[in-house]
Amino acid sequence: MSSRKTKSNAHAECLSQVQRILRERFCHHSPHSNLFGVQVQYKHLIELLKRTAIYGESNSVLIVGPRGSGKTTLLNHALKELMEIEVSENVIQVHLNGLLQTNEKIALKEITRQLNLDNVVEDKVFGSFAENLSFLLEALQKGDRTSSCPVIFILDEFDIFAHQKNQTLLYNLFDISQSAQTPVAVIGLTCRLDILELLEKRVKSRFSHRQIHLMNSFDFPQYLKIFKEQLSLPAEF
C-alpha cells in the first residue's frame, strides 16, 4: 500500500508541476516564454527603448493589435531585456491602465505615487488636480537629458485615455516627450486600429506617429509548430 501511495503522490506532484509550467506560460507570467512571428516589431521596440534609456532620446509609440495578439508579451520581453543591461537602476517605469485610472486626476495621482514625489505620504497622494499636474511637470523637467533618469510610461488600454475629457494627460505626456528636458518614452497599447482618429489635434501634433502593428498571419503549419512548442515541457523536466 505504501508503494502505491508513493507512486500516487509522485504522479500528483508531477501533474502539479506540469500545470504550473503551462499556467505560467499561457498566462504570460513566465519570463522564458517565446515570441512568435514578431521579431521585426520586437527589434523596433527594443531599439526605441534603448534610445531613451541609454542615449536620452524621448520617444512615443503605439503598439496596435487585436486582443490576444501579444502586445503585452512583446512589451514585457523588451522591458526585461532593457533591464538586463546596465541601465536598470537609472530607468523608471510608470504603469497606467485606462480601466483603472478612469480620469486624469486618478492617473496623475498614480503617476506621482509611482514616481515617489514630494506630495506622497505612505502611498497616499495629496493635492488637487492642478497641484498634481504641476508636481509631475516640475519633477520631469528638472535637470537635462544627461543627468535626469529616463522615465518609461506604459499606457495600457490607451484608447480609454483618449476618451477622457480634453485628453489632458496624453497632451502633457506627449508634450514632455517633445521637450528638451528629462528623457521620456510614452508607450500606448491598444486594440483600436483607428486610434489616431480619436486624438485631439493638439495631442496628435505632439505624438511621434510611430506605430507597431501586431497582425498575426500564420499559416496552418506555423500554428502547429507554435502549439507544439507551447505544449512541450522543458527538456530538463
Side-chain angles (χ1 to χ4, degrees):
M1 288 291 291
S2 61
S3 176
R4 287 184 179 179
K5 285 185 177 180
T6 302
K7 287 183 178 180
S8 177
N9 291 337
H11 290 160
E13 177 64 23
C14 184
L15 181 60
S16 176
Q17 291 182 20
V18 171
Q19 290 174 334
R20 178 181 55 80
I21 291 171
L22 295 180
R23 188 182 300 113
E24 289 178 351
R25 190 177 292 171
F26 292 135
C27 295
H28 310 300
H29 294 154
S30 172
H32 307 294
S33 57
N34 296 322
L35 293 174
F36 300 100
V38 291
Q39 284 72 22
V40 174
Q41 293 92 329
Y42 180 78
K43 183 180 179 181
H44 184 183
L45 180 59
I46 192 64
E47 286 179 353
L48 184 145
L49 290 173
K50 286 180 178 179
R51 287 202 297 270
T52 299
I54 300 174
Y55 304 111
E57 296 180 14
S58 292
N59 289 292
S60 55
V61 64
L62 287 174
I63 303 176
V64 184
R67 297 198 182 280
S69 59
K71 300 184 293 296
T72 302
T73 302
L74 176 73
L75 178 59
N76 288 342
H77 271 72
L79 291 173
K80 179 176 179 293
E81 179 178 335
L82 186 70
M83 293 300 118
E84 287 176 349
I85 61 179
E86 296 180 3
V87 298
S88 58
E89 295 181 358
N90 298 323
V91 177
I92 302 171
Q93 296 182 35
V94 177
H95 293 260
L96 301 175
N97 190 307
L99 296 174
L100 301 176
Q101 284 76 47
T102 53
N103 59 51
E104 282 90 348
K105 185 175 182 180
I106 298 175
L108 283 169
K109 282 192 173 184
E110 180 62 17
I111 293 172
T112 55
R113 186 189 68 81
Q114 292 189 38
L115 291 177
N116 293 318
L117 298 183
D118 296 336
N119 59 334
V120 179
V121 179
E122 296 181 353
D123 273 359
K124 291 184 178 181
V125 182
F126 298 93
S128 64
F129 174 82
E131 289 170 337
N132 278 291
L133 181 58
S134 64
F135 267 116
L136 174 63
L137 295 177
E138 181 183 356
L140 293 178
Q141 290 176 355
K142 284 181 178 178
D144 54 32
R145 290 184 182 276
T146 58
S147 61
S148 298
C149 288
V151 184
I152 300 175
F153 288 94
I154 295 110
L155 277 62
D156 209 352
E157 304 292 345
F158 181 87
D159 46 289
I160 299 181
F161 288 104
H163 283 297
Q164 293 178 0
K165 184 179 179 181
N166 299 327
Q167 299 181 358
T168 307
L169 177 69
L170 297 182
Y171 171 77
N172 283 286
L173 289 181
F174 286 148
D175 191 53
I176 292 169
S177 70
Q178 281 199 339
S179 71
Q181 303 296 328
T182 189
V184 169
V186 182
I187 304 172
L189 288 78
T190 180
C191 58
R192 291 285 299 265
L193 295 176
D194 60 343
I195 184 62
L196 291 182
E197 302 302 320
L198 302 179
L199 299 180
E200 294 179 357
K201 187 176 180 180
R202 63 173 188 154
V203 177
K204 193 184 298 184
S205 66
R206 284 162 174 77
F207 174 54
S208 68
H209 290 265
R210 290 189 183 93
Q211 294 188 57
I212 298 175
H213 289 271
L214 298 183
M215 301 296 176
N216 294 339
S217 57
F218 302 126
D219 56 24
F220 189 65
Q222 288 175 315
Y223 269 116
L224 287 179
K225 181 182 178 181
I226 291 171
F227 275 110
K228 184 177 179 180
E229 289 187 22
Q230 288 291 81
L231 294 172
S232 297
L233 295 173
E236 66 274 11
F237 182 78

